[in-house]
Amino acid sequence: MSGALSGRSARSNGPAGSGGAAEPSPGAATASGRADLPGQAVGAPGRGARKTPGAGEGAGASGLGPYRLVATDLDGTLLRADETVSGRTRAALEAAAGRGAAHIVVTGRAVPWTRHILAELDYHGLAVCSQGAQVYDAGADRLLTSMTLDRMLAERALAVIEEQVGQLALAVSRDGLDGEVLVGPGYGLAEQRLAVVPFTDRSEAWAEPLTKLYVQHPALGDDELAMAVRAVAGQLVDVVVSGEGLVELLPLGLNKARGLSLAARRLRVRAAETIAFGDMPNDVPMFRWAGHGVAMANGHPELIAVADEVTASHEEDGIAVVLERLLTEAS
């Protein structure tokens, strides 16, 4: 990984090191807090965080076959279109937790755009947010790790991209528990309920530490724009497509796998003991890291191409379908 995840007292503001989806060094796992924190037992009302049975004690397989950690993306995966989780999926996660497999949310959303979802799920465990840049302890409402995007590098990358494809609409996500999302002229939000702060002067975008940029083009589609960014600025930033209209520029080497590996090490769970669910290209590194990757039927072709299996859509309880099968097979 080009940018190293760090504790908030030693936040990285630029690229360093190498790696990609590899697990972090032992020191990285404890850079900013406790080394064994509870996973989320289940996103169900009335349930608090519960430590995975045997977590931190070198426990082996759970009652979910070889898996002790269920990692799920939010949008298009765990959440239905109305941002709710079905009763069937809640029950499957609860049953998996009862067999020793904790649930962890791994989302592209930054903490401020994730916190209300976790509250509605009564989720109190660790969550990996902002494409892996933030590891968040929901129960304590505390950031354990946070990685920022070098602003000078980001501004340079944006200039190089615009020289090639023309003017872009821009939004930026500021770092921190309450980091604001600033939205520039012409940037369209698919989710109008999310809190944003408009700006007209681009200098405002670079005024405070950032976790990522969002870019949109008036003519290019998401995949085309991402390809163009990689071609002209791939040596400066990473780019992911995380949803419709969501093309994100990130620190080099940052991805969900990096954040998930950090969280998993805190839980003392290995990659091979993790089953991951997702729907978009930003989930590809997480699938490559995890022992088993499951794409939703509504998933992007790029993710489906690398998945170990494809389940039903997020509207049809795709997570529950797989968990129920694993629970049955392990009985």
Side-chain angles (χ1 to χ4, degrees):
M1 179 174 184
S2 296
L5 283 170
S6 65
R8 294 184 59 78
S9 60
R11 183 182 293 123
S12 169
N13 213 27
S18 62
E23 292 198 23
S25 65
T30 59
S32 67
R34 294 168 289 169
D36 52 350
L37 291 166
Q40 174 70 20
V42 66
R47 301 299 299 236
R50 189 171 38 155
K51 191 174 183 181
T52 306
E57 300 169 4
S62 70
L64 199 65
Y67 309 118
R68 298 175 52 226
L69 190 63
V70 179
T72 69
D73 174 44
L74 282 181
D75 301 281
T77 303
L78 179 66
L79 300 179
R80 297 178 291 192
D82 62 359
E83 292 197 345
T84 64
V85 179
S86 74
R88 181 182 176 187
T89 297
R90 288 175 182 266
L93 288 167
E94 172 74 18
R99 298 280 192 90
H103 173 217
I104 187 167
V105 164
V106 185
T107 179
R109 295 183 183 224
V111 168
W113 279 8
T114 305
R115 192 189 277 117
H116 71 285
I117 297 291
L118 301 182
E120 290 168 7
L121 296 176
D122 198 35
Y123 184 104
H124 302 291
L126 299 185
V128 177
C129 301
S130 198
Q131 306 297 359
Q134 299 171 323
V135 176
Y136 172 60
D137 182 347
D141 192 30
R142 183 166 70 97
L143 272 177
L144 303 179
T145 66
S146 184
M147 177 180 175
T148 58
L149 176 63
D150 185 301
R151 284 170 280 169
M152 291 181 64
L153 199 64
E155 192 171 10
R156 180 182 167 197
L158 189 63
V160 169
I161 297 163
E162 290 187 322
E163 285 177 9
Q164 182 70 27
V165 304
Q167 186 79 16
L168 297 171
L170 176 68
V172 303
S173 180
R174 287 180 169 170
D175 185 39
L177 277 176
D178 300 304
E180 298 168 317
V181 175
L182 278 62
V183 175
Y187 191 91
L189 281 174
E191 177 52 78
Q192 297 298 325
R193 291 176 292 177
L194 296 172
V196 298
V197 176
F199 72 87
T200 55
D201 184 346
R202 275 199 178 178
S203 64
E204 297 177 49
W206 318 115
E208 296 184 21
L210 306 174
T211 56
K212 58 184 171 180
L213 308 185
Y214 302 91
V215 293
Q216 293 175 344
H217 191 275
L220 296 178
D222 298 336
D223 293 334
E224 293 175 291
L225 178 56
M227 188 178 301
V229 171
R230 290 189 188 101
V232 299
Q235 77 282 11
L236 300 174
V237 292
D238 270 344
V239 57
V240 295
V241 177
S242 60
E244 185 176 353
L246 292 172
V247 178
E248 304 181 17
L249 309 189
L250 309 170
L252 279 173
L254 175 66
N255 54 52
K256 285 188 175 184
R258 193 64 179 183
L260 177 56
S261 67
L262 240 177
R265 182 162 289 198
R266 288 175 175 272
L267 298 171
R268 301 186 187 180
V269 176
R270 296 175 299 166
E273 298 173 307
T274 304
I275 181 170
F277 294 83
D279 71 309
M280 292 299 291
N282 61 321
D283 295 313
V284 169
M286 178 170 69
F287 276 26
R288 288 178 173 156
W289 179 84
H292 193 76
V294 183
M296 314 307 284
N298 52 286
H300 191 285
E302 185 178 334
L303 184 70
I304 289 175
V306 302
D308 295 301
E309 68 172 291
V310 179
T311 186
S313 77
H314 66 310
E315 299 287 352
E316 299 173 318
D317 297 308
I319 292 174
V321 168
V322 174
L323 294 184
E324 289 167 355
R325 185 192 77 228
L326 291 173
L327 288 164
T328 299
E329 290 174 353
S331 297

